[in-house]
Amino acid sequence: MTYKMQAAVVEQFGKPLVLKELDIPEPGPGQTLVKTEACGVCHTDLHAANGDWPLKPTLPFIPGHEGIGIVTAVGAGVTAVNEGDRVGVPWLYSACGHCEFCLAAREPVCAEAQFGGYTKNGGFAEYIVADPNYVAHIPAYLAARDAAPLICAGITSYKGIKETQARPGEWVVVSGVGGLGHLGIQYAKAMGLHVCAVDIDDGKLAHAKRLGADAMVNAKDGDAIAAVRKATGGGAHGVLITAPSLGAFKQGVGMTRKCGTRVLVGLPPGEFPTPLFDVVANCITIRGSFVGNRRDMAEALAFAADGNVKADIELQPLSAINSVFHRLAHGDVPSRVVLEFAKG
Ligand code: NAD
Ligand code: ZN
Ligand code: ZN
């Protein structure tokens, strides 16, 4: 009997994932096969499984875009990776490589981009087919389980902080201290910034303090905006909104200093009102940021390899995915769950 692989499959939006045995995929020319060691569970996987966004994945699909594993086979013509390499299969699964955005290292917005665990099957499975030109190269001294959260939550929060253009000694707000935010705080500190953490959960805020945040504000407090302005001396130079909550987006303008930049990375479905006078008269920049490019990935991993950033992880087996999703939806995951796969 040929060995099959375990996978967690979205068959219907908003329904539990189905654990299945599937044939192990074969890498075609230019592709590579990765045997999964660990895969983080991102809030995006939950949005994907719920069909939250205007562009929906085609059913059925295997979520997961924080999959780390070992290259076990390469298709014809592959030179970018070798068998035995440890790689990550990220959200930016592939891009065209030659459009105006790819040429400017803005490949996440390439019209031809494919997304891991969304338009391509992802890491909630024992094997993943990947594009060797877009995999993350995992430094030797990082364990798979520690690397997993970095290839989405890490790169996204790191790039988002860079996009605020806040300089060492200035303030950033990190709104939402979950998977993205708990890493964002660490990147910001490593980059010499002062950090004001904002969340609705006091436990998450206590965690933010342990991670080095200089000020903590509960967004549910009536005067949360005033508290941020006081802590930062008039508003933060950069505000990174990771929270999957429209309320957090609404609050963000008031937390931003004059001439500051607010970077949006959280992706709750919907819209939020923008007080035009405040944005215009205070010269505030509002900017979206979508993961990062391959250079950002290498940088985000290097911070961890240098020991400046470490994901807080809770290990679970693939079979626990539905209870993990339930907890994630209710804010009951402290930082990041990483699904760990059996060796051998
Ligand atoms: P998570 O569930 O781990 O963390 C979310 C955190 O936000 C929790 O700590 C929660 O308590 C907090 N929160 C909820 N409401 C809040 C509010 N009103 N104010 C402040 N904090 C609040 O989620 P995650 O995995 O960190 O992902 C967060 C969001 O980022 C999701 O919408 C996800 O899809 C999106 N995302 C975007 C990108 C990108 O490239 N732009 C990449 C990855 C994830
Ligand atoms: Zn993600
Ligand atoms: Zn392109």
Side-chain angles (χ1 to χ4, degrees):
M1 200 184 84
T2 47
Y3 182 74
K4 298 201 169 209
M5 69 168 188
Q6 297 286 334
V9 182
V10 177
E11 295 194 329
Q12 290 179 60
F13 292 123
K15 293 276 173 358
L17 274 63
V18 182
L19 288 159
K20 292 191 119 166
E21 290 213 327
L22 300 175
D23 289 335
I24 297 172
E26 293 209 359
Q31 295 182 322
T32 178
L33 186 68
V34 176
K35 186 173 192 311
T36 317
E37 300 176 285
C39 185
V41 182
C42 180
H43 209 106
T44 290
D45 296 313
L46 192 58
H47 293 306
N50 286 335
D52 273 347
W53 297 333
L55 264 178
K56 295 186 201 315
T58 307
L59 297 168
F61 70 97
I62 303 171
H65 54 272
E66 290 185 346
I68 309 290
I70 302 293
V71 173
T72 54
V74 292
V78 171
T79 54
V81 298
N82 294 306
E83 277 184 40
D85 288 356
R86 175 169 284 138
V87 298
V89 188
W91 176 252
L92 181 67
Y93 181 96
S94 65
C96 83
H98 43 74
C99 70
E100 65 175 286
F101 303 109
C102 284
L103 290 177
R106 291 270 177 197
E107 59 245 35
V109 300
C110 171
E112 306 286 314
Q114 300 290 325
F115 301 112
Y118 205 79
T119 65
K120 295 283 183 183
N121 281 332
F124 293 1
E126 286 177 291
Y127 288 87
I128 323 166
V129 170
D131 182 330
N133 296 314
Y134 288 86
V135 293
H137 297 271
I138 308 303
Y141 18 82
L142 265 188
R145 52 167 75 164
D146 293 325
L150 303 175
I151 72 162
C152 177
I155 182 179
T156 304
S157 56
Y158 168 63
K159 174 74 164 191
I161 287 163
K162 279 208 291 189
E163 291 282 64
T164 68
Q165 294 178 343
R167 301 182 59 79
E170 295 185 338
W171 279 93
V172 289
V173 160
V174 175
S175 173
V177 186
L180 268 61
H182 93 284
L183 290 168
I185 291 168
Q186 298 178 56
Y187 281 110
K189 290 307 296 178
M191 292 157 84
L193 296 157
H194 298 304
V195 177
C196 177
V198 177
D199 204 290
I200 51 172
D201 180 314
D202 286 330
K204 301 254 172 82
L205 291 171
H207 189 211
K209 187 173 185 188
R210 288 193 293 275
L211 293 171
D214 303 280
M216 282 69 57
V217 170
N218 192 317
K220 275 190 176 159
D221 293 348
D223 55 356
I225 292 175
V228 169
R229 295 187 71 80
K230 183 157 182 256
T232 58
H237 304 80
V239 175
L240 179 73
I241 313 270
T242 78
S245 150
L246 292 175
F249 286 75
K250 209 171 151 189
Q251 270 185 339
V253 172
M255 295 178 176
T256 314
R257 204 184 195 86
K258 289 181 181 182
C259 302
T261 298
R262 189 156 64 115
V263 174
L264 316 181
V265 294
L267 277 166
E271 298 168 5
F272 67 96
T274 303
L276 272 179
F277 186 82
D278 294 344
V279 171
V280 173
N282 292 318
C283 296
I284 286 172
T285 301
I286 299 178
R287 174 177 289 167
S289 185
F290 200 37
V291 286
N293 62 30
R294 288 172 286 178
R295 179 74 203 151
D296 300 316
M297 180 70 87
E299 290 174 7
L301 287 165
F303 272 88
D306 289 347
N308 290 314
V309 169
K310 190 170 192 315
D312 287 310
I313 54 172
E314 173 191 325
L315 296 173
Q316 291 288 348
L318 179 66
S319 56
I321 187 60
N322 287 313
S323 67
V324 171
F325 265 8
H326 183 81
R327 287 171 54 209
L328 199 56
H330 292 88
D332 289 338
V333 169
S335 295
R336 201 53 141 197
V337 167
V338 172
L339 305 173
E340 203 167 40
F341 291 74
K343 292 190 173 61

